[in-house]
Amino acid sequence: MAKEYLCKDDWEKEYFQKRLKEIYPNDAMDHADNHPIFLFISASLCFIPTIIDMCVIDPIREKHVKNLIQPEIRRIKELMIEINNSKLEQLTQEIKRENKIVKILKKDNENKKTLYKHFIKLLSNSENAQNLGIPTAIMIEGTNKKAKKDIMDWTKEQILQRTVEFTLPEDEDEALYRISTEIDYAQDYFDKTGKRSVLFVENLQNILNSNTASNETIAEMKTLLSDISEDKVPVTIIFDVNDSSDLDKAFTGNKSRIPICIKLENR
């Protein structure tokens, strides 16, 4: 009922008339003829029935109906307020969701612009890619797997050079060997073709974290990332992390080791 009358201006009058007919389904004359007060007055004073109905029956009926309907109207008003509050809350949540989506899209666009300007554009324009200041390491940070995959896939689509995707083994010695070997392969490939290699590496964070890797491994990775940056090795390592604060500060606090950090908007 509250939903039915929600957008109507004069709903109280309409509801009153509807309930009046429900409470008094017969016409006024039928009620008047059977009413004891009418019979008494009609017999003693011989009033015209319609006058009696107007002067005596209607006020009695009106009071009776009001006593029944007024609490119903109050309840309907309360329900209307609840409905309006619920709709307002839904609208507020929708606006928040839309704003969040806009914010995420804006952030995604900014991240892509950063990658394009500081990596992809330099990579695509390079004839001698070894000496153009192309970043040797790019970290993608975020907790949402799909968001990270989306920007990784987008980056791969922009790259015309050699790309290699692999997952580092859990054993840190094997992981160190694999990453070092791939970097050596990248140098050999450049020497033969003049083109860089881009490595998309899974689990690299395991050997950049003091809680999961030994001090010796951390030290070797510090040296490795510093060397490929300083020596302008024709390779770019792209990897992702959930939270960069888990990594050793020797990596996150050094721009030569990880030149570009892309922080995704969590969704």
Coordinates of all heavy atoms in Angstrom, one line a residue, residues 21 26 59 72 87 99 107 130 144 174 185 201 215 220 226 240 246 253 260 266:
K21 N -15.4 3.2 1.9 CA -16.2 2.3 1.2 C -16.1 0.8 1.7 O -17.1 0.1 1.6 CB -15.9 2.3 -0.3 CG -16.3 3.7 -1.0 CD -15.9 3.7 -2.4 CE -16.3 5.0 -3.1 NZ -15.9 5.1 -4.5
N26 N -22.4 -0.4 2.0 CA -23.7 0.0 1.6 C -23.8 1.5 1.5 O -23.0 2.2 2.0 CB -24.8 -0.6 2.5 CG -24.7 -2.1 2.6 OD1 -24.5 -2.8 1.6 ND2 -25.0 -2.6 3.8
P59 N -21.4 12.5 10.8 CA -20.4 12.8 11.9 C -20.0 11.5 12.7 O -18.9 11.3 13.0 CB -21.1 13.8 12.8 CG -22.0 14.5 11.9 CD -22.5 13.5 11.0
E72 N -3.8 3.7 10.4 CA -3.3 3.0 9.2 C -2.5 4.1 8.3 O -1.5 3.7 7.8 CB -4.5 2.5 8.3 CG -5.3 1.4 9.0 CD -6.5 1.0 8.2 OE1 -6.7 1.5 7.1 OE2 -7.3 0.1 8.7
K87 N 15.5 3.6 -0.6 CA 15.9 4.0 -2.0 C 17.1 5.0 -2.0 O 17.9 4.9 -2.9 CB 14.7 4.6 -2.7 CG 13.6 3.7 -3.1 CD 12.5 4.3 -3.8 CE 11.4 3.3 -4.3 NZ 10.4 4.0 -5.1
N99 N 31.3 6.1 -8.7 CA 32.5 6.9 -8.5 C 33.7 6.1 -8.3 O 34.8 6.5 -8.8 CB 32.3 7.7 -7.2 CG 31.2 8.9 -7.4 OD1 30.9 9.3 -8.5 ND2 30.7 9.4 -6.3
K107 N 42.4 5.7 -12.8 CA 43.7 5.2 -12.3 C 44.3 4.2 -13.3 O 45.6 4.3 -13.5 CB 43.5 4.5 -10.9 CG 44.8 4.0 -10.3 CD 45.7 5.1 -9.8 CE 46.9 4.6 -9.0 NZ 47.8 5.7 -8.7
Q130 N 69.6 -0.5 -26.1 CA 70.4 -0.7 -24.9 C 70.7 0.6 -24.2 O 71.0 0.7 -23.0 CB 71.7 -1.4 -25.2 CG 72.5 -1.9 -24.0 CD 73.6 -2.8 -24.4 OE1 74.0 -2.9 -25.6 NE2 74.2 -3.5 -23.4
N144 N 44.2 -7.4 -6.4 CA 43.3 -7.9 -7.3 C 44.0 -8.7 -8.4 O 44.6 -8.0 -9.3 CB 42.3 -6.9 -7.8 CG 41.2 -7.5 -8.6 OD1 41.3 -7.9 -9.7 ND2 40.0 -7.5 -8.0
E174 N 67.5 -22.3 -7.1 CA 67.1 -22.6 -8.5 C 66.5 -21.3 -9.1 O 66.6 -21.1 -10.3 CB 66.0 -23.7 -8.5 CG 66.6 -25.1 -8.1 CD 65.6 -26.2 -8.1 OE1 64.4 -25.9 -8.5 OE2 65.9 -27.3 -7.6
Y185 N 70.6 -14.9 -21.5 CA 70.0 -15.2 -22.8 C 69.5 -13.9 -23.4 O 69.7 -13.7 -24.7 CB 68.7 -16.1 -22.6 CG 69.0 -17.6 -22.3 CD1 68.1 -18.4 -21.7 CD2 70.3 -18.1 -22.7 CE1 68.4 -19.7 -21.5 CE2 70.5 -19.5 -22.4 CZ 69.6 -20.2 -21.8 OH 69.9 -21.6 -21.5
V201 N 57.8 -12.3 -15.1 CA 58.3 -13.3 -14.1 C 57.3 -13.5 -13.0 O 56.9 -12.5 -12.3 CB 59.7 -12.9 -13.6 CG1 60.2 -14.1 -12.7 CG2 60.6 -12.6 -14.7
N215 N 69.6 -14.2 3.5 CA 70.3 -12.9 3.4 C 71.2 -13.0 2.1 O 71.5 -12.0 1.5 CB 71.2 -12.7 4.6 CG 70.3 -12.3 5.8 OD1 69.2 -11.9 5.7 ND2 70.8 -12.6 7.0
E220 N 72.4 -11.2 -3.4 CA 72.6 -11.5 -4.8 C 71.6 -10.7 -5.7 O 72.0 -10.2 -6.8 CB 72.6 -13.0 -5.1 CG 73.8 -13.7 -4.5 CD 73.8 -15.2 -5.1 OE1 73.6 -15.3 -6.3 OE2 74.1 -16.1 -4.3
S226 N 70.9 -4.1 -9.5 CA 71.8 -2.9 -9.7 C 72.6 -3.0 -10.9 O 72.8 -2.0 -11.7 CB 72.6 -2.7 -8.4 OG 71.9 -2.4 -7.3
D240 N 54.8 -8.9 -10.5 CA 53.7 -8.4 -9.7 C 53.9 -8.8 -8.2 O 54.5 -9.8 -7.9 CB 52.4 -8.8 -10.2 CG 52.1 -10.2 -10.0 OD1 52.5 -11.1 -10.9 OD2 51.5 -10.6 -9.0
D246 N 56.0 -5.8 1.7 CA 56.6 -7.1 2.1 C 58.0 -7.3 1.6 O 58.7 -8.2 2.1 CB 55.7 -8.3 1.5 CG 54.3 -8.3 2.2 OD1 54.2 -7.8 3.3 OD2 53.4 -8.8 1.6
G253 N 63.1 0.9 -2.1 CA 63.6 2.2 -1.9 C 64.7 2.6 -2.8 O 65.3 3.7 -2.6
I260 N 60.4 1.5 -12.1 CA 59.0 1.9 -12.2 C 58.1 1.0 -11.3 O 58.3 -0.3 -11.4 CB 58.5 1.8 -13.7 CG1 59.2 2.8 -14.6 CG2 57.0 2.0 -13.7 CD1 58.8 2.7 -16.0
N266 N 42.9 -1.0 -5.8 CA 42.2 -2.3 -5.3 C 40.7 -2.2 -5.6 O 40.1 -1.2 -5.3 CB 42.5 -2.5 -3.9 CG 44.0 -2.9 -3.6 OD1 44.7 -3.4 -4.5 ND2 44.5 -2.5 -2.5

